[in-house]
Amino acid sequence: MRTLSPGERAVLVIAVVVAALALRIGFVVETHVPDPIRADAAHYAQYARNLQEHGTFSLDPGPHPKSDSFRSPGYPVFVLLHRLAVGDAKMYDAVRLSQAVLDSVSVLLAFLLARRLLPFGGALAVATLTALSPHLVANTGYLLTETLTTFALALALLALLRVLSGGDRGVVCGLAFVVATLTNEALTPLPYVLAWLAWRRLPGASGANVRRALRVVVVLCALAHVGWGVRNAVAVGPDAPRGSSRALQTLSHGTYPDFIFADPRFRYMPYRDDPEQPRYGEDLGHFARVFAARVAERPLRYASWYALEKPFYVWGFDGLQATRDIYTYEPSQALYERHAVAGVTLTLMRWLHWPLVAVAGIGLVVLRRRRRDREAQTLQMAMLGACLLFGTLLGTVFAPWPRYVIPMRPALFVVAVFGALAIWKAAVGRLQRPAQSLSNNLLSL
C-alpha cells in the first residue's frame, strides 16, 4: 500500500477539522433551547454581569452584590469577555459561536496529542471520533464550562507530553492547566497528580530538564490556586456561597444507590425525596453521621454502588439527570433531528460508545502491564490513562454524572485507539505464529 505524503496527510487532517467546525456551527445555528440561560448557565451569566457592572465576582443579583466563591472564575471571565465585546443582548450567540470554533481547535489538539503516541491512521481516527463526538458538539450550544475545559485540558495534556519528551519548558502546560482547573475546580488535583506520577517514572540524570519543567508546571498551578484561595479568604464573607458547599452538595447527591432514595419517581434527583436534605448536603458533620448509618444498614449495596455502578454510570452515553440523552438542557429543535447526516453521526457514535470505553479499558490494562517500561511513549500514554482514572474516581466519589468527564473525551479516544491497536497486534501475532511454525517445520524436512 502506498504511503501518504505529508501534504496528503495534512489535507486529511484539515478536512476532519473543517467537518468538525461545520458540524458545530450547524448545531449552534440549527438548535434552539427554550430559556437557555438557566440553572448553571444563569450563574455564569450573573457572574459576568456583576464583574462588568460592579467589579465583583458574585452570584448575587441584587444592586450591591457581595463577593462569593460558589463558582470557579474561569468560565465567568470567558463569558465576560464576550459581554464586553458584543454586549449583553448578543452575548449568548457570541459565546456559542466562539465555542464552536474553540471545540474545532480541540479536534486538532486531539490529533496532535494522538500523533505523538500513535501512527498517523490511529491519530486520524482519534481526530475523527473527537470531531463526531455528540457530547462535544452539543456542549458548544450551552453557556456551560465543558467546551472551554475540553480545549484547555487537551492543550495541557499535549504540552505535558512535550514536557516529558524534553520539548517544552512547562510554561504552556502550566498555564493551560491553570485555565482548565479554574474553569472546572474539580480538576484542581489533576496537574499535581500527573506531575507526581511522571516524576516517579523519570530516569535519573537524563530526566533533569524534564523535572525542571514539571516544577514550572506545579509552581504556576500552585500560584493560581493559592491566589484564588487567598482572594476567597480575604474577600468572601462567612455567610457567602462557597465552592466547598457546592462540593458537599454534589458529594451528597452521589450517595443514593441507583439514584433513588425511596420513590422511583425521583430517580436521578433523589435529594428531593430525602427528608435529611438539604442539611445532608450542607453540614459536613451531619452528612458523615447519616451516610455512615446508611452504609452500616446496607453495606453490600453501597459497596456495589461505589465499586461497580458509579464508575459504569460516569462513562455512560446519556446525561441521566437532564434529558437522558446528550443534551444538558432539552432543545425544542436540534441539528441531529433536523438533518439526516448529523443524525447518522449521532447513531454511529452511540453504537461505538461502549466498544470504545471497553477497548480503552483494555488499553489501561496494557499500560498497567508495561508500568516498568521507561520508554518515553509509554510514560506519555500513561499520563492519558491516569487522566481517565482520575475522571472515574471523580465520578465515583461525587455524583456520577457523565457530563463531568466530557472534557476527557479526546483522552478517552486516544487510549481507546491504543487499546484497539494492541488487540489487533496481539491477534495478528497469534495468527502469524502457527504460520511461522509451519514454515519452519517445512524448511526442516
Side-chain angles (χ1 to χ4, degrees), residues 140-184:
T140 62
Y142 300 118
L143 257 67
L144 297 173
T145 63
E146 278 70 28
T147 298
L148 180 58
T149 306
T150 300
F151 168 79
L153 183 59
L155 179 60
L157 291 173
L158 176 61
L160 178 61
L161 300 197
R162 285 178 50 80
V163 164
L164 297 179
S165 63
D168 191 280
R169 295 183 178 180
V171 176
V172 173
C173 180
L175 292 177
F177 268 126
V178 166
V179 174
T181 54
L182 291 184
T183 302
N184 184 345

Side-chain angles (χ1 to χ4, degrees), residues 48 102 255 289 307 318-319 328 352:
L102 199 63
T255 61
R289 288 189 296 273
D318 291 339
T328 303
L352 287 175

Side-chain angles (χ1 to χ4, degrees), residues 239-412:
D239 297 327
R242 294 177 178 271
S244 57
S245 60
R246 182 163 54 88
L248 182 56
Q249 286 177 5
T250 308
L251 183 67
S252 73
H253 294 172
T255 61
Y256 302 96
D258 202 29
F259 307 103
I260 296 172
F261 174 72
D263 191 336
R265 292 178 299 175
F266 291 100
R267 193 178 187 214
Y268 302 118
M269 296 183 181
Y271 42 85
R272 295 182 178 179
D273 187 36
D274 185 354
E276 296 291 347
Q277 292 280 12
R279 188 183 176 195
Y280 183 58
E282 295 176 350
D283 183 328
L284 182 59
H286 184 70
F287 166 82
R289 288 189 296 273
V290 173
F291 180 62
R294 290 175 177 178
V295 172
E297 185 179 346
R298 297 191 296 164
L300 293 180
R301 184 68 190 92
Y302 277 88
S304 172
W305 174 239
Y306 276 89
L308 301 175
E309 297 169 64
K310 290 182 78 174
F312 173 83
Y313 277 117
V314 78
W315 288 106
F317 189 86
D318 291 339
L320 299 179
Q321 198 176 27
T323 64
R324 322 290 193 267
D325 208 325
I326 62 169
Y327 307 111
T328 303
Y329 304 146
E330 184 85 48
S332 59
Q333 65 180 40
L335 173 72
Y336 289 112
E337 287 75 40
R338 290 169 60 87
H339 293 276
V341 174
V344 168
T345 67
L346 174 59
T347 301
L348 174 64
M349 293 301 291
R350 186 183 292 277
W351 286 347
L352 287 175
H353 179 74
W354 283 116
L356 286 169
V357 173
V359 293
I362 292 172
L364 293 177
V365 172
V366 172
L367 287 170
R368 174 65 179 170
R369 295 182 65 180
R370 296 181 184 177
R371 63 187 182 279
R372 290 187 175 86
D373 183 355
R374 294 185 179 271
E375 184 182 345
Q377 284 190 327
T378 301
L379 174 58
Q380 293 174 30
M381 184 66 78
M383 294 297 100
L384 304 188
C387 183
L388 298 184
L389 291 174
F390 178 87
T392 305
L393 179 62
L394 190 67
T396 301
V397 173
F398 294 95
W401 308 133
R403 178 183 157 194
Y404 294 165
V405 294
I406 286 175
M408 297 181 181
R409 283 292 193 273
L412 173 70

Side-chain angles (χ1 to χ4, degrees), residues 99-114:
Q99 289 181 162
V101 174
L102 199 63
D103 207 54
S104 302
V105 177
S106 296
V107 173
L108 178 59
L109 293 176
F111 170 79
L112 296 174
L113 187 66

